Every structure is written in C-alpha cells, then in structure tokens.
Amino acid sequence: MSFYDYYSKYRELDVNRYFDGITDYDIQSIIDKYSINEYEFLALLSPQAEKFLEEIAQKAHQLSLQHFGKTIQLFTPMYVANYCVNKCAYCSFNAENKITRKAMTLEEVDQEARAIADTGLKHILFLTGESRTKSPVAYICEVAQILKKYFNSISIEIYPLTVDEYEQVSAAGVDGFCMYQEVYNEEVYDRVHLAGPKKDYRFRLEAPDRACQARMRSVSIGALLGLYDWRAEAFATGLHAYYLRNTYSDVEISLGVPRIRPHVGVFDEVNVVSDKNLVQILLAYRLLLPSSGITITTRESQELRDNLIPLGVTKMSAGVTTEVGGHTSSSSSDSQFEIADPRSVSEMKQAIISLGYQPVFKNWMAI
Amino acid sequence: MDKLIIGGVELRSRLFVGTGKFANDNVIPAIIETSQAQVITMALRRVDIGSKQENVMDYIPKECILLPNTSGARNAEEAVRIARLARKMGCGNWVKIEVISDNKYLLPDNQETVKATEILAGEGYVVLPYISPDLMTAKRLVDAGAAAVMPLGSPIGTNRGLRTKELVQIIIDEIDLPVVVDAGIGKPSEAAEAMEMGAQAVLVNTAIATSADPVKMAQAFALAVEAGRIAKIAKPGPESRYAQASSPLTGFLNRGAL
C-alpha cells in the first residue's frame, strides 16, 4: 500500500458536508484533546474553527514549546540547475518560458557552497528542475559529494526518483528529501501540469513513500497553496504527513506551507489564501503532528514570518536567492519566483534572537 | 556516606540537566550554576566544534561531565556511530544511548538500546541507556555493561510526571545499578518523588528549558532533588490507611506496667 491507496479512501469525502456537522462544542473538545485523528484535524480546517483561532494558537504554541523548545532551524536553498522539461502553469522554470537556463559546473557548485557556508549555515537544500539529461541522478550525487565538505545536512528538492535512485543519492550524502505535491486534487493537478513527466500524478504522490523506503532521514512535503481550495488541500497534505508518520515511524516528517508567489507563467486562477487562512492551516498541522517540523520560507514577508514563529514554525530559510548561482552571482540565471523576505543569514539570526528564540545552525551530521 | 558513583566517578550532584530547547544557550552557565549539576547532557547532532556560530559547547564549564546523547539514532548501529563520533570530537567517554524509531510517541527502542549498550560498554564507554521502564530490559542492560539505567517517567518532553511510577519502582528495587529517572519530569515535586522512591538521580531538561524562569526553576529542581534524597535516607514514616490516634485505644493495658 502507498499513500495513493490510502488517500483513495478519503477522496469521496465531501469536505463541506462534513464541515456542516461541526459544532463549536466539537472544536472546543478537539482543542482539549491530547492527540487528534484525521477527522478532528479536518474539523480544525473548517470555517467554524476560525472563531477559535486564538485558542488553537495557544495549544499549538504549547505543543511546539514542548517538542522543540524555543528554537528555529536555519537553512538556505541552493538552486543548482533550472533546466526543466515540464510545463507547469504556475512556475517560471516552465520549459516554454524564455528564461536564462543554467546548470552549475561542479566547480561553480563548490564556489557557491563555500559562499553559503561562509554565512555560517550548516544545513542546505539544493534544487534542480526536472531534466534527466541536464541534471541526471549522477550529477545530483556529484553535487551532494561536494556539498558534504561544507554542510552537515543535505536535502534535495528535485524531480521524483525511484527507490533505487534515492538510495544512490542517500549514499552520496543526501539525508533529507523535500517534494511538494503542488496540488492533491487529481483533476486540478492534470490541468496545471500541461506537459512533461510531471503529469504522472501518482509517481509524484508516491515519491515520499519511496524516499522513506530508501531510509531517507527526513522527508518534507506540502501543497502549493493557491492552486485549489485550501481547506481540501491542507486536509490532503496533513493526511499525507499523518500517513507517512504512521507508516515510516522512524523518518522525521516535516510540512511546508508555500503560498503561490508572483512568477513568470500563465496560471491566473489563484485561489486566494489569506494570512488568516495560512495561520489556520499551520495550526491544524501542529495539532495533528506535534513533533513534526514546519517550514516557512521567504515566500512570505518578513513581518508575517516573524509573527508565525511562536505558532509552531520550526525551520526557516535565510539569505535566499532562487536563481541558479545566485550566491556567487557572476553569471546567475533567472529566478524561480520572487522572494518576499530578503534578510541575510545574520539578519535572520538577530531577528530570531530578538524574538526570544534560538537560531539553530546545526541539528544533524553525517554519521 | 551517601555517595553516587557512576563510571568510577563520585558525583556530587544527583540532578543531571539537559541543554536542549533553550531560547538562548547563554542561559546555560547560570542553569548549571544554580542547579549545581555536574553531569550535562547535550545532543551530539547539535554540537558544532570550531564553528563560527556559538554553540552549546561554548556554554558548558570545563569541569562538568559531558553526557552526549545519541538523539537522532534510529537503531543500534547509528547510536554506536554517533557515540564514536562524540568521543572523537572530544566529548569524553560517557554516552547516553537514545534510540528512537517512533516519531509519534518518541518512545525509546529498548531492544536496539541493549544492542548499542553491549557494543559501547565493550569499547570502554560509560554507557547510560535511556529506556521505557521494563525490568527485563534493565536486567539485560546490567549484563551488557551499562553504568546506570535511565527509565522514563513519561514520554519525553511532556512534563507529565511519573506516569510509569510502578514500573520504575520495580527497576529501582530489582536492579543493582544506579537508576536515573529521565524524561517526563515536569515539576520539582515530581523530581523529589522520584528520589524518595529510591532513584539515584534524575535528568531534567524540558521542565527547566520551557519554564518562564529557567534559572529559578533549575534551583527549584536542585532543592527538590536534594530534599527527596535526604527523605529517602531518613526513611519516611510508614503510611497507613487509617488515622493513628495519638491516644491509643489499648493504651490502658500498659498503664499498670508503668
């Protein structure tokens, strides 16, 4: 069984009809519970739960303190290549977009890595577009081997691989996997992924299963919020993380809450997700999965990011560029999307300290 | 004399403290000072020797005994590798074995813990294994060469107190090694209770780190641990289900003898 099969049990569930039956009493008693199940999680995503946002936030804060204390893990993304064979309506790297393409040479990777390491960061997430010719698995492994010299933890956000390939990259030094399903609704998925291997919904949906089977240490998932009804999408995402946590109990499961950002592209039917909606999603994730990491990236503004910290955020990016080679920038590419929080690593560090939290640079190492 | 000896070292404090979860690690020296703790645990995964960024090791006084833990290990093999790294990184030869393969309840994997203990004790480490309180596991740890056993009071980080009291008591009663109650202790009164039960020491982290005033809380724990230990030595009066009248009903029988 994979998540595809697991999820099919819930696909027929009429979320709005379920919400109709939720009362204030239900929400209150869910907040008071020690741990909650998937249906209680769904109730926390209901319109009725909005009235209780403050109470839910208090609980989420308590749970976060208990599991993580006052700490925030810092990392930065490193865009290694942006060649892409996919046509995703919402992404600047879309194969049809006329942008500057680039795949770093290994020497450039080394320089870029050194520049990032100079900021003090120890955890890195490296990204590529989907191109098995310009950024094949062998290239991913070579990049990882270089990054190992500079960083204690290496995660990848690339195209979906097979179990065997995940084992290869893991052997090369990758310990973390990150992949957003983008949108869990299969019809919308098919509509926004116009062409390319990414059209295979199931192969992407089951990628986290395969990463876990390959004994990846940490697995991070999420939906790109804005592509479809956020309540349904957040439910599917939470369900996915809940399934992974219960199925592969020794893997650290984390969640991202990316909202769609301005980009070069053709997607223009954004389902608006307000700050309040984002907060509701984040809190519901925390109550469902108290010990899971939650990442908030520079897609969000400085002010919002700072305010989200006590609600249950555990990982933040800093010193971000979404351009290939953006940290050394002699000949960088076009960017994937526009960032909203331009703070450097040292500025983020100071901001976190001034909020009464500890910025954590190292929380893993190759063993 | 009331001595606690672990790994051949006579310890002056029965309160071990952890260094995770603090808002700022610069509070750690004050925690160590007010708690009088001598054994300090830290996750090796967080240790970053020679880093430009300040890290936990900068805040632990040299005279303390470092107890690096293998947090992040999912099986015996990973725990052993982390322990060996710890020694290589200059953290001494004490190690707290923490093997967790359950990310929901964060309960330790006793079987893998026994395996890791066997290997590391054989390599000369002073091994303090963290376990779910289970007598058979504790007995196997004795055979495996553990220096102490560390059963949990309730799931880690929960501050829920001594929920496993009956099982911890059995281990205290049956095992010859020092028993250190680790995890779950949320309040000084619970630390005192563990000491009264006969635990040789307690390890506290979350309860101090997540308190509104960690330094004061560290002091409160130190006092509680000491009080609990003294009470254990002083032997509490017996408990009774009924009130004991200070003028006994059968007192008249003895009156003639006086």
Side-chain angles (χ1 to χ4, degrees):
Chain A
M1 188 167 106
S2 75
F3 181 64
Y4 188 85
D5 308 308
Y6 180 86
Y7 184 40
S8 61
K9 290 187 293 184
Y10 298 88
R11 216 164 282 161
E12 298 306 310
L13 180 73
D14 183 339
V15 167
N16 288 309
R17 219 168 127 192
Y18 177 78
F19 288 155
D20 287 343
I22 300 293
T23 63
D24 287 1
Y25 175 83
D26 293 332
I27 303 292
Q28 192 61 62
S29 45
I30 290 167
I31 298 170
D32 293 338
K33 290 191 102 172
Y34 181 59
S35 70
I36 67 173
N37 64 31
E38 69 273 38
Y39 291 103
E40 291 161 336
F41 163 66
L42 178 55
L44 292 177
L45 294 167
S46 68
Q48 292 89 321
E50 287 176 21
K51 272 190 282 180
F52 294 87
L53 224 46
E54 179 57 29
E55 284 92 329
I56 301 171
Q58 294 293 342
K59 172 77 179 277
H61 176 64
Q62 278 308 318
L63 288 171
S64 304
L65 266 191
Q66 181 187 320
H67 285 279
F68 297 92
K70 292 195 157 186
T71 64
I72 298 286
Q73 169 71 50
L74 288 174
F75 72 99
T76 208
M78 172 174 166
Y79 284 73
V80 173
N82 64 354
Y83 286 98
C84 198
V85 294
N86 290 313
K87 294 176 185 170
C88 307
Y90 50 83
C91 179
S92 304
F93 289 173
N94 184 323
E96 281 191 339
N97 290 342
K98 298 273 176 285
I99 59 164
T100 314
R101 305 278 172 176
K102 190 171 167 55
M104 272 194 236
T105 64
L106 297 179
E107 200 172 299
E108 288 168 330
V109 169
D110 195 288
Q111 283 166 11
E112 185 90 347
R114 189 174 307 158
I116 295 170
D118 278 344
T119 66
L121 289 174
K122 298 285 182 182
H123 288 213
I124 191 116
L125 168 70
F126 79 90
L127 302 90
T128 68
E130 175 151 9
S131 169
R132 282 184 175 263
T133 52
K134 300 286 188 181
S135 50
V137 173
Y139 174 76
I140 302 295
C141 292
E142 286 170 334
V143 169
Q145 270 153 0
I146 291 169
L147 296 180
K148 252 187 355 194
K149 293 193 290 182
Y150 299 98
F151 301 99
N152 290 114
S153 171
I154 301 167
S155 298
I156 49 169
E157 188 170 342
I158 63 168
Y159 48 91
L161 304 179
T162 62
V163 175
D164 188 49
E165 289 168 330
Y166 282 125
E167 282 168 354
Q168 288 174 40
V169 296
S170 174
V174 172
D175 59 86
F177 157 100
C178 176
M179 182 173 291
Y180 296 142
Q181 180 60 25
E182 320 294 11
V183 57
Y184 283 85
N185 182 291
E186 206 164 345
E187 284 161 36
V188 178
Y189 186 93
D190 196 55
R191 211 163 62 231
V192 297
H193 297 107
L194 308 166
K198 196 168 173 180
K199 267 199 104 54
D200 188 341
Y201 173 86
R202 185 165 179 167
F203 191 65
R204 190 174 186 86
L205 190 72
E206 292 175 344
D209 276 283
R210 296 194 297 275
C212 291
Q213 285 155 13
R215 307 271 303 144
M216 215 42 102
R217 173 162 301 278
S218 70
V219 163
S220 182
I221 61 163
L224 183 54
L225 299 167
L227 290 179
Y228 182 57
D229 172 52
W230 65 265
R231 294 184 206 272
E233 287 295 302
F235 176 57
T237 310
L239 208 54
H240 197 176
Y242 186 72
Y243 156 85
L244 291 171
R245 202 268 327 259
N246 293 343
T247 309
Y248 309 99
S249 70
D250 61 355
V251 179
E252 288 177 14
I253 307 297
S254 302
L255 288 148
V257 285
R259 275 197 295 191
I260 201 158
R261 291 286 306 156
H263 54 91
V264 180
V266 293
F267 182 74
D268 54 5
E269 1 158 357
V270 173
N271 286 257
V272 175
V273 182
S274 69
D275 288 356
K276 186 179 173 186
N277 302 151
L278 186 73
V279 165
Q280 189 173 355
I281 294 168
L282 195 154
L283 297 177
Y285 287 167
R286 176 51 72 231
L287 266 60
L288 178 69
L289 299 159
S291 61
S292 285
I294 297 181
T295 305
I296 190 102
T297 70
T298 55
R299 285 170 181 271
E300 302 301 338
S301 72
Q302 170 171 340
E303 193 195 355
L304 182 65
R305 292 221 300 165
D306 289 357
N307 282 316
L308 292 177
I309 287 177
L311 302 184
V313 170
T314 61
K315 295 183 205 174
M316 293 173 94
S317 48
V320 172
T321 161
T322 68
E323 295 162 21
V324 177
H327 294 273
T328 38
S329 80
S330 49
S331 58
S332 57
S333 71
D334 282 336
S335 62
Q336 190 189 21
F337 58 85
E338 295 167 23
I339 63 168
D341 180 354
R343 283 177 288 180
S344 68
V345 174
S346 61
E347 285 166 338
M348 273 309 298
K349 178 183 164 188
Q350 283 317 316
I352 291 167
I353 292 171
S354 67
L355 290 162
Y357 279 70
Q358 177 189 176
V360 171
F361 286 84
K362 175 176 178 281
N363 193 26
W364 189 244
M365 71 201 125
I367 58 167
Chain B
M1 275 302 286
D2 182 37
K3 285 184 185 170
L4 170 58
I5 297 171
I6 294 179
V9 180
E10 186 181 335
L11 300 175
R12 54 167 202 277
S13 167
R14 292 171 183 270
L15 173 59
F16 300 0
V17 298
T19 52
K21 302 185 180 177
F22 287 102
N24 194 325
D25 281 350
N26 65 14
V27 75
I28 291 173
I31 300 287
I32 293 173
E33 197 187 328
T34 52
S35 66
Q36 296 287 304
Q38 188 180 3
V39 177
I40 314 297
T41 185
M42 75 285 180
L44 192 76
R45 62 195 286 175
R46 285 269 169 95
V47 172
D48 195 6
I49 287 165
S51 155
K52 273 177 276 189
Q53 305 295 343
E54 55 271 29
N55 77 99
V56 63
M57 297 293 282
D58 304 338
Y59 296 105
I60 305 175
K62 295 281 170 289
E63 60 274 19
C64 291
I65 295 172
L66 299 175
L67 180 59
N69 66 56
T70 63
S71 156
R74 305 185 284 186
N75 52 43
E77 193 195 331
E78 291 184 352
V80 166
R81 289 212 294 263
I82 294 173
R84 288 176 184 156
L85 265 176
R87 187 145 78 174
K88 221 181 273 173
M89 284 163 66
C91 297
N93 69 335
W94 286 46
V95 64
K96 168 179 160 181
I97 304 293
E98 183 176 326
V99 180
I100 292 178
S101 54
D102 150 49
N103 274 310
K104 182 169 186 182
Y105 297 101
L106 304 175
L107 290 170
D109 184 329
N110 284 358
Q111 211 173 336
E112 292 293 308
T113 303
V114 173
K115 274 196 237 166
T117 302
E118 214 156 39
I119 296 168
L120 292 168
E123 294 178 11
Y125 286 83
V126 175
V127 184
L128 289 84
Y130 165 59
I131 57 166
S132 281
D134 170 67
L135 179 62
M136 294 309 137
T137 302
K139 286 186 171 176
R140 285 183 189 119
L141 288 170
V142 175
D143 295 340
V149 290
M150 307 214 285
L152 57 90
S154 46
I156 192 164
T158 58
N159 287 344
R160 281 161 68 85
L162 296 169
R163 302 278 166 148
T164 58
K165 193 173 173 181
E166 301 291 333
L167 297 171
V168 170
Q169 186 69 66
I170 291 169
I171 294 177
I172 291 171
D173 294 346
E174 298 302 321
I175 297 295
D176 267 344
L177 290 175
V179 173
V180 182
V181 177
D182 178 7
I185 290 178
K187 292 193 284 289
S189 54
E190 292 153 2
E193 188 181 6
M195 297 307 292
E196 286 168 12
M197 284 163 59
Q200 290 289 329
V202 298
L203 193 157
V204 180
N205 183 10
T206 305
I208 293 175
T210 63
S211 147
D213 187 341
V215 176
K216 261 213 172 91
M217 190 53 84
Q219 185 192 9
F221 269 103
L223 294 169
V225 167
E226 202 180 341
R229 181 62 194 170
I230 294 170
K232 173 68 185 170
I233 294 165
K235 295 198 173 104
E239 264 181 49
S240 167
R241 294 185 61 177
Y242 304 102
Q244 300 270 351
S246 41
S247 309
L249 294 172
T250 55
F252 67 93
L253 294 175
N254 299 325
R255 251 174 238 147
L258 288 172

